[in-house]
Amino acid sequence: MHSAARGQESITDLYHRSAAVVDLACISHNLGVVREKAPGRKIIAMVKANAYGHGLVRVAEHLASEGVDYLGTAFVEEALELRKAGITVPIITSGPFSRFQIGLFIENNIDLTIASVDALHYIQEAAEFYGKRVNIHLKIDTGMMRIGIRYSNAHKLFAAALQAEKYLNIVSLFSHFATADHEDLSFARLQLERFLEAARFFDHEHRPSPLLQIANSAALLRMEESQLDMVRPGIMLYGYHPSPASAPKAELLPALSLRAKVMYFKVVLQGNSVGYGRTWTAPQNCRVVTIPVGYGDGYARGLSNKAQVLLRGKRYPVLGSICMDQTMIGIGDGEAYIGDEVLLIGKQGEEVITADDLAAQLGTISYEVLTNISARVPRIYLDKRTPCQSSQLQQVRES
Ligand SMILES: Cc1ncc(COP(=O)(O)O)c(C=O)c1O
């Protein structure tokens, strides 16, 4: 009988070479944390950059089925992928676009971010052309200096948007924090003040203000006063804190594990080197296994001779330079067999390696580690229908 029929699968049965395994139950749990921390707020679930590496469409479908109000992408191409997959939830794109792409937004019912008066005018023209009232969000720069009209000039954009109301529906005003994950929140507080001050324009006009939104994960967790009408969590949905140092901590569950199978086993004799550039030489005879994951999969070359992996519940080091497609692991005199599962990110027994651990070794942030996991790595999803659900959630519930 096929093992699936017996219900005895393990995750290793689901892939041959390597996989990024995404436990959707963890994403649901993390969304629950968002709802608990920001009760009653509308939620824009950020799924840009391939849902932070977790796989755009499937994660977006899952979040939509969990009732988020909006999905957030950076670019219209990402939003189009969601529409093509049949996802009908409202989508906001927060990044810049070319004026030649405006038709794509309007035809596919994707909300537009407007960051300047000029852009507002040409979007208005396009809306008139299509004979459609288009949903817009006005982006205010309160100190990030990325995109957005400067807070002190925002009234000009607001006034122009009100004049164009026949064609433009102002859904929200938004801004983005530069330092909400820093120990010192004073600049973030100043940004919030600037944002609220700019939004007062609508009071002076005796108009209800559009929805207000500024909180990313860090602000949502650390500055309750910034939650306003809508929150825009990204990294926390995937189970990570924006910065490992920032308190307070919520009980988030990393949803992704990066896995590979042992494909080759050998003994390297004392004095022999391993890999390109001969950057590691065996001080004594040792066992070395090869896994089929390299920097072409997003396992950064900067982790060469630094990272560890988990195998049979133990930590072992990466030896030598990580290749494009393969990486060598030293197991000393430990035991390993072809087909054994190796965790590059994830939990095995009592041992855990997180994207934060790899980020620390690389001098970067978990966001980059996760989004860099390349398209070559198959994404496998565990959900209620997958017989072998990860036990992580169960462990948390039991503890
Ligand atoms: C405009 C915008 N909103 C929200 C987010 C989500 O931020 P985080 O992942 O820190 O929650 C991002 C991510 O960079 C962003 O660019």
Side-chain angles (χ1 to χ4, degrees), residues 120-173:
L120 185 119
H121 287 318
Y122 56 72
I123 289 161
Q124 179 185 355
E125 272 169 29
E128 280 185 56
F129 173 81
Y130 279 90
K132 236 176 158 179
R133 194 151 179 258
V134 172
N135 282 342
I136 58 164
H137 304 258
L138 303 179
K139 180 74 187 275
I140 320 305
D141 182 4
T142 54
M144 177 74 174
M145 298 283 177
R146 190 165 64 178
I147 62 168
I149 189 158
R150 189 144 174 85
Y151 64 96
S152 46
N153 284 331
H155 57 281
K156 295 181 188 158
L157 183 61
F158 299 160
L162 286 181
Q163 279 191 354
E165 264 189 312
K166 189 170 166 212
Y167 291 105
L168 305 179
N169 175 32
I170 316 168
V171 181
S172 84
L173 314 182

Side-chain angles (χ1 to χ4, degrees), residues 22 45 60-61 82 95 103 111-112 123 150 179 213 233 238 337 367 396:
V22 176
E61 278 170 353
L82 298 178
D111 290 15
L112 285 134
I123 289 161
R150 189 144 174 85
T179 57
Q213 38 134 344
Y238 305 101
Y337 293 89
Y367 298 65
V396 167

